[in-house]
């Protein structure tokens, strides 16, 4: 459990945050310069706040009143920087073991081999950082932080300098870390998609201040939060499982995996054709503005996906309305205020969600998603 | 099971062993100062601080002396000014040989020499030299126009602090040659440098000691200044106040008849009785 | 080798010994001062910087004289050392090391400072977050990355010592076998008769040694720079 309250003034930038973080993984969302990186640096001890108090579990890391300031090397918080910051004079193996070497063997939570397997770094162990691709370097940076057995992993926009393809490649690794290592994570990004792919618990920053904290759907009602989320790309993440491939039709059929126990039959959704050999679980992204609502299902229309659901919430924003529809998972739909009135949408109404199969965007290569559990003896 | 990863030199933290060696070495230096203190070495060592111009002669005399006496004689040769200042600061010196009286007077005033031991060991003469292939015919008296007799500059030791230069200025002033020449001077850092300038033909004339002229095969003596033109060029020698027991005997030898042939052979005028 | 007299061998050996000790003497203080100037900020820093560079701009003879006044037998510090401990540094080969070290110190500090300034302080932050204390960070990250510059500084100090004259002759004297290093030997030979051939020999050796040192320094820099950038 991390408690933080801190204020910091640097020139015209004023930072002020107060939050408690106890989830396995919390996303920090906000525009560039809104204070997200400052938060991580304050937590790590690289920046000293003007005032405040930081506690992690039962340890006090900072207290301006009592004059306590634990230096970074004693905080055991693994900070993964946006620019990797691998040591150029050490090989990958040397970088990985840098923090690990400083710990007494009894305090090391992971074996090197376990992390190397987790992040698939075997092939580049003897390379120098300069020889690595952006994605490989970022994985090494994460592995290095993990091997130092931190109490918490702080990731500062780790995918910012990577393109879409590389991001998709690394996401599975981050999910593995989330699921397998069970180290609490703070994930900073200006891209909501990355975060929402990993978690729905977020803290939203604007101009150096926290404007909302909690599950996305809970805080989405606040207009400021909503504006920030939409600016940073609010999206729906659909957890799906492949059913069949229709090469002739150019479609893959997938089943929606509902979040809660649901008596209804899970919805079937069609998306762009995947490689016919792929099968298993996959996440897909669907933008709220790509979904249309209808009072009933419509025949004679090219739109492939028509999913029934129930209106859970209506949120009014200055220029658009948001409608949260339960189709097995909560789906955020963006419609014009006119449309809301015309359809007579109210909470509890049944409604149909329409979206084209091409609006679905898969978030990772199926081949990277593996649920092969790590060999039990390697993970202490 | 953790694998053993092949570690290059760069994997290891800054090598501890060389670091330790470096640390040890830096600590050894003051320790070495105590352990290897040179002044606690052979008690039968005589240290002579000598002006550079007499260094060769002294070396020859010392060699002869060492053949028949169980002592080691070591020299430090530099400009008389530097030597005097070093002695003033407590340099471990037994005998001081200066190229002019003023520095000996200086140390006498600071009570750094034993006044009773002071003697003039040798004398020198001042001459005008030219490159050997460009001789000059001159008369060493007031009536002669030296400035008009050659073109270009005149090389002398720096008249502000080099003894040879001081003598040269005095001599030139006495003969009335200073004013027309004072803007045509090359002031060398020491008399040897002035000699070299003449040897190399960089200047057409220079003022040096007779001993310097004799030792060089590349200059011709155009004329010798009369002894009345300048203060006597004497080489005073004395025992320092911190002189060891054996130094006195060597001083006597240096200024005595046995050594006078060495002085004369080098071109000095021996003042041994 | 018979083309060097035994005296000349002594001179060479002495010069080499003094130069090596000079490099060793400036190593740690030089690295420390270089790091302080590169990474820290404090009031009066530019004054300290200027003071450290003083030996570069003062006449060497003046520096030697100041050393004499400080460490001579009757000096401020030397007097105490001599009267109470019997330690006398001036006019010994150790004095030649001290003179060289003082003259070479600014060169070492400059080289180290530039080398450390070129290392990325963000890497220090990364090391700190991984659990390294400031000292360990310095030893395992900053120093290895600054190694080329440090080596260059040491070799520069070595070469500077080989050529050091003014401060040496005033503080250490010109004693054959004890403090007569290469430059002093050349000076003495020029003061005496018939020393021309010997002067030439010693001058050639000086040039060869300095050149060799500087070439070696260049080679080392390149090799370490390539390793540092991961091009091996």
């Amino acid at each position: 459990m991390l408690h933080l309250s801190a204020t910091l003034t640097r020139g015209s930038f004023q930072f002020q945050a107060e939050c408690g973080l106890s989830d396995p993984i919390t996303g920090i969302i906000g525009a560039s310069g809104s204070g997200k990186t400052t938060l991580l640096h304050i937590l790590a001890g690289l920046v000293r706040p003007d005032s405040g108090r930081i506690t992690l579990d039962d340890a006090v890391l900072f207290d301006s009143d009592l004059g306590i300031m634990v230096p970074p090397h004693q905080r055991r918080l693994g900070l993964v920087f946006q620019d990797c910051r691998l040591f150029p004079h050490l090989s990958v193996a040397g970088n990985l073991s840098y923090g690990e070497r400083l710990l007494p063997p009894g305090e090391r939570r992971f074996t090197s081999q376990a992390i190397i397997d987790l992040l698939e770094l075997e092939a580049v162990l003897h390379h120098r950082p300069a020889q690595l691709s952006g994605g490989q370097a970022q994985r090494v940076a994460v592995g290095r932080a993990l091997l130092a057995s931190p109490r918490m992993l702080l990731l500062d926009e780790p995918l910012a300098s990577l393109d879409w393809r590389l991001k998709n490649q690394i996401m599975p690794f981050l999910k593995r870390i989330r699921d397998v290592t069970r180290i609490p994570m703070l994930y900073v990004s200006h891209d909501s998609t990355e975060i929402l792919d990993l978690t729905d618990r977020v803290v939203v920053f604007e101009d150096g201040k926290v404007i909302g904290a909690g599950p996305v759907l809970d805080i989405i009602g606040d207009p400021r939060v909503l504006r920030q989320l939409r600016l940073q790309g609010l999206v729906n993440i659909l957890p799906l499982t492949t059913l069949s491939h229709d090469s002739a039709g150019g479609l893959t059929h997938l089943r929606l995996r509902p979040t809660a126990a649901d008596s209804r039959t899970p919805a079937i959704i069609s998306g762009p054709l995947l490689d016919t050999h792929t099968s298993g679980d996959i996440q897909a992204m669907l933008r709220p503005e790509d979904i249309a609502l209808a009072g009933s299902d419509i025949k004679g229309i090219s739109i492939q996906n028509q999913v029934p659901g129930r209106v859970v919430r209506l949120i009014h924003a200055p220029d658009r309305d948001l409608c949260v529809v339960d189709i097995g998972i909560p789906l955020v739909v963006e419609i014009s205020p006119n449309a809301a009135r015309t359809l007579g949408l109210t909470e509890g109404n049944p409604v149909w969600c329409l979206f084209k199969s091409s609006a679905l965007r898969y978030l990772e290569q199926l081949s990277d998603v593996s649920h092969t559990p790590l060999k039990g003896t390697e993970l202490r | 099971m953790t694998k053993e990863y092949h570690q290059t030199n760069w994997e290891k933290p800054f090598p501890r062993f060389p670091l330790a060696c470096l640390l040890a070495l830096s600590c050894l230096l003051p320790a070495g100062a105590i352990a290897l203190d040179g002044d606690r070495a052979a008690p039968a060592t005589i240290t002579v601080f000598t002006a550079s111009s007499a260094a060769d002669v002294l070396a020859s005399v010392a060699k002869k002396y060492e053949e028949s006496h169980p002592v080691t004689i070591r020299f430090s040769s530099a400009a008389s000014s530097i030597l005097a200042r070093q002695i003033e600061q407590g340099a471990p010196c037994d005998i001081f040989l200066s190229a002019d009286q003023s520095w000996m007077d200086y140390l006498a005033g600071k009570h750094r020499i034993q006044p009773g031991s002071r003697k003039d060991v040798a004398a020198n003469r001042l001459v005008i030299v030219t490159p050997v292939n460009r001789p000059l015919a001159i008369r060493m008296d007031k009536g002669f126009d030296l400035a008009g007799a050659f073109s270009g500059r005149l090389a002398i030791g720096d008249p502000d602090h080099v003894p040879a230069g001081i003598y040269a200025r005095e001599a030139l002033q006495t003969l009335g040659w200073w004013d027309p020449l004072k803007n045509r001077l090359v002031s060398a850092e020491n008399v040897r440098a002035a000699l070299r300038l003449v040897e190399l033909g960089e200047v057409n004339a220079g003022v040096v000691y007779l001993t310097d002229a004799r030792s060089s095969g590349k200059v011709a003596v155009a004329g010798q200044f009369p002894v009345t033109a300048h203060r006597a060029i004497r080489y005073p020698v004395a025992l320092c106040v911190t002189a060891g027991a054996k130094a006195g005997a060597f001083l006597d030898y240096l200024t005595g008849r046995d050594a006078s042939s060495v002085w004369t052979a080098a071109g000095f005028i021996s003042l041994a009785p | 080798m018979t083309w060097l007299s035994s005296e000349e061998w002594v001179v060479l050996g002495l010069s080499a010994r003094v130069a090596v000790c000079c490099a060793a003497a400036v190593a740690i203080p030089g690295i420390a001062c270089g790091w302080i100037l590169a990474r820290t900020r404090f009031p009066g820093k530019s004054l300290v910087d200027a003071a450290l560079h003083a030996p570069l701009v003062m006449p060497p003879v003046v520096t030697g004289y100041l050393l004499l006044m400080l460490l001579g037998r009757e000096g401020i510090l030397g007097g105490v050392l001599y009267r109470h401990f019997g330690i006398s540094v001036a006019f010994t080969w150790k004095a030649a090391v001290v003179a060289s070290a003082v003259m070479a110190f600014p060169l070492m500090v400059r080289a180290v400072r530039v080398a450390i300034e070129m290392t990325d302080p963000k890497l220090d932050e990364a090391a700190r977050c991984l659990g390294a204390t400031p000292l360990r960070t310095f030893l395992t990250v900053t120093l290895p990355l600054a190694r080329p510059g440090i080596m260059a500084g040491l070799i520069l100090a070595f070469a500077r010592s080989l050529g050091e004259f003014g401060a040496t002759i005033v503080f250490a004297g010109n004693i054959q076998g004890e403090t007569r290093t290469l430059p002093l030997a050349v000076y003495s030979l020029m003061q005496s008769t018939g020393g021309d051939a010997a002067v030439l020999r010693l001058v050639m050796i000086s040039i060869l040694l300095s050149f060799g040192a500087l070439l070696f320094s260049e080679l080392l820099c390149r090799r370490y720079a390539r390793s540092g950038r991961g091009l091996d």
Side-chain angles (χ1 to χ4, degrees):
Chain A
M1 179 68 187
L2 178 75
H3 271 292
L4 167 126
S5 78
T7 59
L8 177 75
T9 306
R10 284 257 179 87
S12 56
F13 175 70
Q14 275 182 310
F15 175 92
Q16 190 188 319
E18 173 127 20
C19 50
L21 304 163
S22 58
D23 295 303
I25 170 166
T26 306
I28 317 278
I29 296 181
S32 302
S34 59
K36 315 187 300 295
T37 300
T38 310
L39 175 71
L40 289 194
H41 284 217
I42 286 177
L43 278 173
L46 295 174
V47 170
R48 190 194 178 106
D50 297 333
S51 70
R53 186 178 157 88
I54 304 175
T55 57
L56 180 60
D57 297 328
D58 46 359
V60 177
L61 297 179
F62 174 75
D63 190 324
S64 53
D65 295 330
L66 298 174
I68 300 176
M69 170 79 177
V70 177
H73 62 276
Q74 288 173 358
R75 293 196 181 195
R76 296 280 295 277
L77 294 171
L79 181 50
V80 180
F81 297 88
Q82 180 179 341
D83 48 356
C84 292
R85 301 197 191 178
L86 299 182
F87 303 125
H89 61 293
L90 302 177
S91 68
V92 165
N95 269 280
L96 287 173
S97 61
Y98 186 85
E100 184 193 26
R101 242 203 300 253
L102 300 169
L103 291 171
E107 288 184 38
R108 295 178 196 166
R109 279 195 59 194
F110 312 107
T111 61
S112 319
Q113 194 57 51
I115 297 298
I116 288 168
D117 290 339
L118 188 73
L119 295 168
E120 293 177 18
L121 294 171
E122 186 75 46
V124 295
L125 272 182
H126 301 305
H127 290 198
R128 286 291 168 79
Q131 298 164 296
L132 300 176
S133 71
Q136 290 168 326
Q138 204 53 268
R139 280 165 24 218
V140 175
V142 173
R144 178 176 73 175
L146 282 173
L147 280 170
S149 302
R151 292 189 282 202
M152 195 166 189
L153 204 58
L154 309 172
L155 298 123
D156 189 359
E157 308 220 32
L159 306 184
S161 47
L162 305 177
D163 65 16
W164 179 252
R165 199 175 46 84
L166 283 174
K167 283 194 212 207
N168 272 357
Q169 281 176 6
I170 297 187
M171 263 310 189
F173 293 104
L174 292 175
K175 287 178 188 170
R176 276 192 207 170
I177 290 169
R178 173 194 64 188
D179 299 331
V180 167
T181 67
R182 303 241 172 270
I183 291 185
M185 289 161 72
L186 271 187
Y187 191 102
V188 162
S189 180
H190 62 271
D191 182 348
S192 309
T193 313
E194 280 171 35
I195 290 182
L196 294 175
D197 195 4
L198 287 168
T199 179
D200 73 330
R201 303 292 153 127
V202 297
V203 172
V204 183
F205 265 89
E206 186 181 59
D207 284 335
K209 295 181 191 33
V210 174
I211 57 174
V216 170
L217 289 172
D218 288 353
I219 61 175
I220 206 172
D222 185 323
R224 281 186 313 163
V225 171
L226 184 58
R227 185 180 67 236
Q228 273 303 321
L229 287 174
R230 289 175 65 202
L231 276 172
Q232 309 317 326
L234 179 63
V235 296
N236 293 297
I237 306 288
L238 275 60
L240 305 164
T241 310
T242 53
L243 284 178
S244 61
H245 301 285
D246 180 2
S247 321
L251 292 174
T252 294
H253 300 295
L254 310 113
R255 178 169 52 83
L256 183 68
R257 294 202 310 277
T259 44
D262 209 295
S263 53
R264 295 176 290 176
T265 354
I268 307 291
I269 291 175
S270 306
L273 182 65
L274 285 167
D275 190 292
T276 44
H277 300 295
T278 51
S279 71
D281 292 342
I282 190 171
Q283 307 235 119
M285 178 194 89
L286 187 59
R287 296 189 309 175
E289 55 265 34
D290 290 339
I291 310 172
L293 292 179
S296 63
D297 63 333
I298 300 177
K299 313 275 188 277
I301 188 172
S302 68
I303 292 180
Q304 294 293 314
N305 291 303
Q306 304 189 28
V307 184
R310 193 167 294 277
V311 176
V312 172
R313 243 169 102 194
L314 281 171
I315 302 165
H316 298 288
D319 55 334
R320 306 289 274 174
D321 275 1
L322 288 182
C323 185
V324 182
V325 180
D326 180 7
I327 60 168
I329 59 152
L331 200 70
V332 179
V333 182
E334 198 176 283
I335 49 175
S336 67
N338 218 17
R341 254 182 291 118
T342 320
L343 285 175
L345 290 174
T346 44
E347 292 182 15
N349 276 151
V351 76
W352 288 78
C353 300
L354 279 59
F355 52 93
K356 297 170 77 168
S357 59
S358 54
L360 214 62
R361 230 164 283 183
Y362 301 113
L363 285 180
E364 61 230 15
Q365 317 288 323
L366 269 178
S367 56
D368 286 341
V369 178
S370 73
H371 275 256
T372 336
L374 283 182
K375 306 179 192 51
T377 50
E378 289 170 346
L379 203 58
R380 299 180 203 159
Chain B
M1 202 66 115
T2 40
K3 255 201 220 171
E4 289 295 324
Y5 296 116
H6 167 67
Q7 285 189 326
T8 63
N9 272 337
W10 289 102
E11 310 297 83
K12 306 185 184 108
F14 196 69
R16 277 183 257 264
F17 184 60
L19 185 66
C21 281
L22 218 57
L23 265 168
L25 208 66
S26 329
C27 299
L28 273 176
L29 286 172
I34 305 170
L36 305 167
D37 196 352
D39 297 313
R40 301 232 186 95
T45 305
I46 302 175
T47 309
V48 181
F49 277 26
T50 169
S52 311
S53 44
D56 282 347
V57 176
L58 224 51
S60 312
V61 172
K63 218 157 134 204
K64 268 178 77 176
Y65 189 78
E66 279 173 340
E67 281 163 13
S68 46
H69 295 80
V71 289
T72 317
I73 303 177
R74 50 178 214 168
F75 304 95
S76 182
S77 62
S80 309
S81 52
I82 292 183
L83 297 170
R85 295 234 183 258
Q86 289 174 325
I87 294 171
E88 185 192 351
Q89 289 291 325
C93 165
D94 295 309
I95 297 174
F96 175 46
L97 197 160
S98 171
D100 72 350
Q101 306 287 5
S102 63
W103 285 111
M104 191 61 83
D105 294 336
Y106 177 80
L107 286 181
K110 303 269 180 182
H111 307 293
R112 290 287 180 176
I113 55 163
Q114 300 177 20
S117 67
R118 180 173 175 173
K119 297 180 201 164
D120 290 339
V121 60
N124 211 335
R125 295 290 298 274
L126 211 63
V127 296
I128 295 180
V129 291
T130 66
V132 70
N133 54 357
R134 280 182 251 163
L136 278 179
I138 54 179
R139 273 187 355 252
M140 304 299 289
D141 61 54
K142 268 204 184 134
F144 185 77
D145 174 24
L146 180 66
F150 69 101
S151 61
R153 294 180 177 270
L154 181 73
I156 65 173
D158 193 328
D160 288 330
H161 59 261
V162 175
I166 296 168
Y167 293 131
R169 174 170 57 191
E170 212 185 310
L172 288 170
Q173 280 170 338
T174 311
L175 291 178
W177 292 338
W178 175 254
D179 283 330
L181 281 171
K182 68 175 182 229
N183 295 322
R184 285 168 57 184
L185 296 176
V186 178
S187 299
E189 196 236 331
N190 54 60
V191 69
R192 278 274 153 185
L195 179 72
R196 192 159 288 279
L197 287 171
V198 180
E199 280 178 344
L200 293 170
E202 290 292 323
V203 292
N204 288 321
V207 178
V208 298
Y209 292 128
L210 180 59
T211 46
D212 299 320
R214 285 250 188 98
S215 70
S216 166
K218 299 189 199 147
V219 300
V221 175
Q224 222 177 84
F225 282 95
V227 289
T228 49
H230 53 77
R231 278 172 300 161
I233 303 176
R234 293 287 155 89
Y235 289 77
V237 64
L239 288 176
C240 301
V241 288
T242 52
K246 311 247 174 166
F250 178 62
L251 184 66
D252 292 336
Y253 181 86
L254 182 65
T255 55
R257 212 164 292 219
D258 301 312
S260 78
S261 55
V262 184
W263 285 100
T264 322
F268 292 93
I269 299 164
S270 172
L271 297 175
Chain C
M1 285 221 217
T2 50
W3 48 273
L4 277 182
S5 74
S6 67
E7 278 166 1
E8 286 159 16
W9 278 115
V10 169
V11 163
L12 254 183
L14 183 67
S15 273
R17 178 165 33 129
V18 167
V20 167
C21 290
C22 167
V26 300
I28 293 185
I31 291 176
C33 286
W35 184 85
I36 289 172
L37 286 178
R39 284 278 200 260
T40 64
R41 255 193 296 241
F42 56 89
K45 180 171 163 182
S46 31
L47 275 175
V48 170
D49 197 359
L52 280 174
H53 282 81
L56 269 183
V57 293
M58 290 199 321
V61 175
V62 172
T63 308
Y65 193 58
L66 287 173
L67 282 172
L68 198 56
M69 282 182 14
L70 185 68
L71 294 170
R73 277 190 191 179
E74 310 200 348
I76 305 165
L77 200 61
V80 172
L81 284 171
Y82 185 62
R83 281 191 298 274
H84 297 293
F85 303 102
I87 299 173
S88 172
V89 174
F91 306 104
T92 64
W93 71 274
K94 293 155 271 166
V97 174
V98 171
S100 293
V102 167
M103 299 303 291
F105 190 67
L107 295 172
M108 178 70 183
V109 170
R110 279 182 89 83
V112 172
R113 177 187 188 167
V114 165
I116 291 182
E117 277 172 352
M118 292 213 305
T119 69
D120 192 350
K122 292 186 184 167
L123 293 174
D124 289 6
E125 281 186 349
R128 301 288 308 281
C129 289
L130 288 166
T133 60
L135 179 63
R136 181 168 271 272
T137 305
F138 174 68
L139 290 176
T140 57
V141 177
T142 316
L143 218 46
L145 287 171
R147 228 188 280 205
I150 293 174
M151 294 305 299
L154 285 174
I155 292 175
L156 211 54
F158 177 87
R160 179 69 185 82
S161 171
L162 284 180
E164 173 29 49
F165 177 81
T168 308
I169 200 171
V170 174
F171 185 48
N174 184 11
I175 306 170
Q176 167 64 19
E178 181 90 20
T179 69
R180 186 170 293 174
T181 55
L182 212 48
L184 270 63
V186 171
Y187 168 77
S188 305
L189 281 169
M190 280 168 54
Q191 298 287 311
S192 71
T193 63
D196 285 17
V199 166
L200 260 162
R201 282 201 295 271
L202 288 179
V203 164
M204 290 297 302
I205 292 173
S206 296
I207 294 176
L208 277 171
L209 277 174
S210 316
F211 244 59
L214 289 168
L215 270 174
F216 186 53
S217 160
E218 216 9 70
L219 274 168
L220 267 183
C221 274
R222 299 231 196 106
R223 200 166 79 87
Y224 283 125
R226 281 165 54 87
S227 302
R229 286 205 298 276
L231 293 172
D232 293 353

